[in-house]
Amino acid sequence: MSKKEVLIAALSRGRYSFSKGWYKFSRNPLSVLGLIIIFLVILAAVLAPYITPYPEQAGPFTNFREASLPPSLTHLSGTDSMGRDIFTRVIFGYRFSLMLAVVVLGLSIPPGVILGLIAGYYQRTWIEIAIMRVTDVFLSVPPLVLALAITVMLSPNLFNQMIAISFMWWTWYCRLVYTMTTSLCQEDFVHEAELTGAGKAHILLREILPNCIAPILTKMTLDMGLVIIVGASLSFIGLGVQPPKPGLGTMVADGAKRLPAEWWTAIFPALAIVIIILAFNLAGDGLRDMFAVEEV
């Protein structure tokens, strides 16, 4: 068989495998709904300056003549005590939440995966003991408490919030990859690579890591919602996005002071958080089923 024929056969198998997985994903209407919501939220966040009715109210702005107005056709989600349109600020708030989730996972996944691979491959050595004991120490502390402690020591802003959450989030990926690596090291393909003289880096990155991608992607999708809710919790107590920037947690905290009279100032930002977290969870469930089909 020529190289061209081999390449065509490999691409055909890849398309067939993906089609099976996508079929399983599409058979779950809730997962498809979650994916659609995620796409719409990302699109709205990117195009926020162009699709929101009052983009200038996402920053420093006051209009006391329209302060604390209930939902109407003019202001779909009402206005806050400064006269700012809540719907506009929620859409812009999605920008900060999504940015937080992407940066946190981007900073925490690579070191967690690498350390998990190393600890799982070098079993019953001081390397495994050192890495996993440090991981266990971090895992013993609730994530929100550890992020809160770190954030308190830094200035309350979005950048420091990202650093604080990233500092403790890598442990989950380290534990996940460590568990999978210890199991994969017993497989024949790893022993064959060792017998043929393959280097440690080749075995870890070319043989073991590709078999960990599916669980990592599934967990990453689920973690997007978890990171957003941790970030919103920190913003709720004033340790995240600072006013006048429209952080979703900050908006909920400000609106909670005016309940129940001005209920819309807290309900709509809180509902926005619930929607995006639910969407990522639904999509993550479908992604897990999709990869499960590919592994059969």
Side-chain angles (χ1 to χ4, degrees):
M1 183 180 291
S2 65
K3 291 184 178 180
K4 183 177 180 180
E5 292 172 336
V6 172
L7 179 60
I8 293 174
L11 292 175
S12 298
R13 288 194 300 268
R15 285 194 296 267
Y16 178 67
S17 180
F18 177 79
S19 64
K20 289 195 302 180
W22 175 250
Y23 174 77
K24 182 65 175 180
F25 185 94
S26 62
R27 293 287 292 177
N28 188 338
L30 291 178
S31 296
V32 175
L33 176 62
L35 187 63
I36 293 174
I37 293 174
I38 292 171
F39 175 77
L40 292 177
V41 168
I42 293 175
L43 187 64
V46 172
L47 301 178
Y50 308 102
I51 65 173
T52 51
Y54 308 98
E56 71 281 358
Q57 298 183 16
F61 181 86
T62 54
N63 182 8
F64 293 113
R65 287 180 299 179
E66 295 187 355
S68 303
L69 294 179
S72 63
L73 294 178
T74 305
H75 300 282
L76 297 178
S77 300
T79 61
D80 60 14
S81 59
M82 298 291 181
R84 299 171 298 192
D85 183 68
I86 293 178
F87 175 76
T88 297
R89 292 177 64 80
V90 164
I91 299 300
F92 275 90
Y94 272 138
R95 279 187 159 191
F96 295 108
S97 296
L98 294 173
M99 185 189 307
L100 171 70
V102 170
V103 172
V104 166
L105 295 180
L107 292 176
S108 58
I109 291 177
V113 169
I114 292 173
L115 291 174
L117 286 171
I118 295 173
Y121 188 75
Y122 292 97
Q123 300 176 48
R124 294 178 293 276
T125 65
W126 66 269
I127 297 177
E128 177 200 17
I129 295 173
I131 293 176
M132 297 316 299
R133 294 299 77 77
V134 172
T135 303
D136 290 340
V137 170
F138 277 87
L139 289 174
S140 65
V141 182
L144 184 58
V145 174
L146 184 58
L148 177 62
I150 298 172
T151 309
V152 167
M153 295 186 294
L154 306 172
S155 301
N157 55 54
L158 180 62
F159 176 78
N160 290 335
Q161 188 183 41
M162 293 175 180
I163 298 300
I165 300 176
S166 301
F167 187 73
M168 55 82 179
W169 213 270
W170 63 271
T171 55
W172 303 102
Y173 291 89
C174 182
R175 172 62 70 179
L176 172 65
V177 176
Y178 166 77
T179 302
M180 296 196 63
T181 303
T182 54
S183 175
L184 291 170
C185 283
Q186 310 304 319
E187 298 294 333
D188 292 339
F189 68 89
V190 175
H191 296 316
E192 291 174 1
E194 293 172 340
L195 291 174
T196 57
K200 305 297 185 184
H202 174 88
I203 295 174
L204 291 175
L205 300 179
R206 300 294 297 276
E207 302 292 341
I208 297 177
L209 180 58
N211 290 280
C212 301
I213 294 299
I216 291 173
L217 290 178
T218 302
K219 180 169 177 53
M220 182 177 68
T221 305
L222 296 171
D223 279 356
M224 289 287 288
L226 292 175
V227 173
I228 289 174
I229 195 170
V230 171
S233 300
L234 293 175
S235 296
F236 183 85
I237 58 178
L239 297 177
V241 179
Q242 298 298 302
K245 295 179 180 178
L248 295 179
T250 305
M251 294 174 66
V252 174
D254 292 340
K257 301 174 184 177
R258 296 171 175 81
L259 289 174
E262 300 175 18
W263 55 269
W264 57 90
T265 58
I267 294 299
F268 286 111
L271 186 61
I273 297 174
V274 171
I275 289 173
I276 190 60
I277 293 173
L278 180 61
F280 276 115
N281 286 341
L282 293 176
D285 290 340
L287 196 62
R288 179 185 57 200
D289 295 339
M290 177 179 174
F291 284 121
V293 171
E294 293 184 352
E295 292 171 357
V296 174

